[in-house]
Amino acid sequence: MFTTIRFVLALSSVLLAATALSAQAPADRVAGSLDDPALASLVNDVLEHNPELGVERAKAKAAAQLAPQARSLPDPMAAMTAYLLQPQTRVGPQQLMASLSQRFPWFGKLGLRERAALLGAAAADADVEAKRLALVTETRRLYYELGFLDAWVRILRLDRSTLSRYEESTRTRYATGTGLEQSVVKIQAEMTRDDRRLLDVAMRRAATVASLNALRAKPGQEPIPEVAPLRPSFVEPDPAGWRAAALANRPELARAAAEIERGQMLVELAGRENRPDWTVGLTYTFVGPRDDAAGRMSPPQGNGNDILGVTAGINVPVWRNRIEAGIEEAIERRHAAEESRRAIVASIDGSLGELAERLDLTGKEIDLDEHVLKIQAEQSLQSAESGYGAGASGALDLLDAERVLLDVRTATARARADYAMAVAKLEATIASPAANRRDNGVKHD
């Protein structure tokens, strides 16, 4: 009785968690918080068509069908015996015997098997939710990488356009004898380097697009539109809140809880293997009338009457080594589930610690790039252009200032993408949208 009560309470908590996951799944909460319509559309496409997710869903549906099988009795056994050498009895020869028997497991075995199957189905459902959340995170990562690559293309094209102006002006000065050929060649070399960078970016973008299309089961070259400039909002640090959210929402922890309780059910079931199962049945024997001389002359009372019998039996669990090994196996499986939960919690703690530092440092990097370095690089370029126009400085000084601005712009775009990826990983770790966001106060390009 106490086992049943404990199971009902444990299963209720697991089912409540599963109901919460299905009603407002972590992946749906995170996807619903995305404010980029293009990204949200990609995420929904992946969740609808991803083949690996289809595999997990099919496994979960299969697991849900185990409980009805587990709670069913074994099939009854029907048998027929024909006597080739018919045994003679006082009332006639036995010709044929039919039997029907049913095996009944020891009290509680079927219930434990059903409960273990229900908990296994809950674990499979949690696997589906974990896969959905992982797909949302991977889609976001690839999308933000596309965002960086597209921003890099815009930066390189702007840089090449600027270099083209410089190259034209430098060639004019060289033609008039006021400039150096070295300056022209140097600027042209930098323009060629930009062309090479654009080719490299195109190859990286093609690979990233192919990876995104693979997630949504589309042809590798299915086009994905250019990603608008990324505008990540800063997330205020909240380690305690993040950890509480992760422990409450992570599907992997729901799976571990189901597996731990399932392990306990299997331990109890293995312990009952030393209890015998019962078999009861009916037999019906067809008896023919006596055809010998004495029987024909003086038929006995009940001559030729059929025989109805009842059978009962039990199996005898005498192989103790098998039973003890089964109990030990179930205990170790439960222990493995408990260790799995500990490993998940440790992984959460490690990820949150790393993400807190990454978000803080990347946010500072963005602030430094956009509030200090970008302004300094732009002012330096303006000064170099003024000096070049007045003849106080050469084209190489102009080129150096433009290189610095190119590096700052590229680093800023990279930092924005890295910050967005870190937020995506944070929301995957806590299995919910990150709270306490604030705009970084910068008007992006």
Side-chain angles (χ1 to χ4, degrees):
M1 177 179 178
F2 293 108
T3 299
T4 302
I5 294 174
R6 182 175 60 78
F7 169 75
V8 169
L9 293 175
L11 183 59
S12 297
S13 63
V14 172
L15 292 179
L16 284 174
T19 302
L21 284 175
S22 60
Q24 186 66 13
D28 294 330
R29 290 199 298 269
V30 173
S33 69
L34 300 175
D35 55 7
D36 186 336
L39 175 57
S41 177
L42 270 176
V43 166
N44 290 333
D45 202 14
V46 169
L47 292 179
E48 184 176 355
H49 297 107
N50 184 262
E52 293 181 0
L53 182 57
V55 172
E56 293 298 328
R57 284 174 174 153
K59 288 180 179 179
K61 290 179 180 178
Q65 301 306 314
L66 293 178
Q69 301 175 59
R71 67 169 173 258
S72 298
L73 288 171
D75 291 333
M77 176 69 71
M80 186 76 70
T81 302
Y83 296 106
L84 300 180
L85 297 176
Q86 298 177 356
Q88 297 292 332
T89 67
R90 186 183 64 83
V91 295
Q94 295 182 8
Q95 300 172 334
L96 188 70
M97 183 178 71
S99 64
L100 180 67
S101 62
Q102 175 66 61
R103 184 173 181 175
F104 295 92
W106 187 263
F107 306 107
K109 283 186 178 180
L110 286 181
L112 288 170
R113 289 171 185 164
E114 180 185 14
R115 295 164 194 169
L118 287 172
L119 290 164
D125 287 338
D127 284 339
V128 173
E129 294 306 327
K131 183 64 177 178
R132 295 179 77 242
L133 183 59
L135 285 172
V136 171
T137 306
E138 179 62 8
T139 302
R140 295 175 71 186
R141 186 190 70 81
L142 292 171
Y143 182 83
Y144 296 143
E145 183 64 21
L146 278 184
F148 163 68
L149 294 174
D150 290 342
W152 198 7
V153 168
R154 292 189 289 269
I155 291 169
L156 289 172
R157 286 174 178 170
L158 177 61
D159 181 69
R160 198 186 188 290
S161 176
T162 302
L163 291 179
S164 180
R165 289 191 294 106
Y166 293 167
E167 189 263 349
E168 183 179 356
S169 174
T170 306
R171 275 195 296 107
T172 301
R173 289 195 175 190
Y174 173 66
T176 59
T178 59
L180 299 175
E181 182 182 11
Q182 179 187 7
S183 301
V184 178
V185 174
K186 182 68 173 178
I187 293 175
Q188 289 174 343
E190 288 299 319
M191 293 171 64
T192 304
R193 289 186 64 189
D194 278 351
D195 291 337
R196 178 59 185 270
R197 292 190 186 103
L198 286 169
L199 290 175
D200 290 341
V201 173
M203 287 188 289
R204 288 175 59 179
R205 192 181 197 281
T208 306
V209 167
S211 297
L212 260 176
N213 284 330
L215 291 181
R216 56 188 188 140
K218 294 288 181 69
Q221 297 307 314
E222 182 85 9
I224 293 179
E226 180 179 333
V227 177
L230 299 177
R231 295 175 172 84
S233 299
F234 286 172
V235 176
E236 296 290 351
D238 182 18
W242 292 346
R243 190 176 193 276
L247 296 181
N249 299 323
R250 282 289 289 270
E252 295 89 343
L253 288 176
R255 185 190 197 285
E259 286 292 346
I260 291 171
E261 190 60 28
R262 179 173 177 269
Q264 182 58 36
M265 295 297 106
L266 294 178
V267 170
E268 296 183 21
L269 179 60
R272 296 196 185 192
E273 288 300 318
N274 60 3
R275 310 289 179 85
D277 297 337
W278 295 83
T279 301
V280 297
L282 295 174
T283 62
Y284 192 90
T285 305
F286 296 89
V287 179
R290 289 183 59 175
D291 57 359
D292 59 312
R296 289 195 300 271
M297 290 180 60
S298 179
Q301 184 178 2
N303 184 34
N305 287 355
D306 295 340
I307 303 171
L308 177 64
V310 177
T311 63
I314 60 172
N315 68 304
V316 183
V318 297
W319 308 113
R320 307 300 300 175
N321 289 341
R322 176 184 63 82
I323 296 172
E324 291 172 359
I327 295 173
E328 187 64 26
E329 177 192 1
I331 290 173
E332 290 303 322
R333 289 187 181 277
R334 182 187 61 189
H335 180 65
E338 293 169 345
E339 291 299 309
S340 176
R341 186 185 189 283
R342 290 183 59 238
I344 294 169
V345 173
S347 175
I348 289 172
D349 289 337
S351 294
L352 290 179
E354 185 264 338
L355 285 169
E357 289 295 324
R358 186 195 303 183
L359 287 168
D360 179 57
L361 295 176
T362 308
K364 291 178 179 178
E365 183 180 357
I366 293 174
D367 274 339
L368 182 64
D369 287 343
E370 295 184 334
H371 291 102
V372 180
L373 292 178
K374 181 180 178 182
I375 296 173
Q376 292 175 342
E378 289 174 344
Q379 290 176 345
S380 175
L381 181 59
Q382 291 173 1
S383 176
E385 288 179 342
S386 297
Y388 182 75
S393 60
L396 295 181
D397 295 327
L398 193 64
L399 181 61
D400 288 341
E402 175 63 19
R403 296 302 84 194
V404 171
L405 183 57
L406 172 65
D407 291 342
V408 171
R409 285 171 173 167
T410 303
T412 302
R414 181 71 264 177
R416 289 177 185 173
D418 288 345
Y419 195 90
M421 291 178 187
V423 172
K425 186 175 180 181
L426 171 66
E427 292 179 339
T429 302
I430 65 177
S432 62
N436 301 324
R437 293 194 184 190
R438 63 177 176 85
D439 189 79
N440 59 19
V442 175
K443 183 178 179 180
H444 300 293
D445 296 334

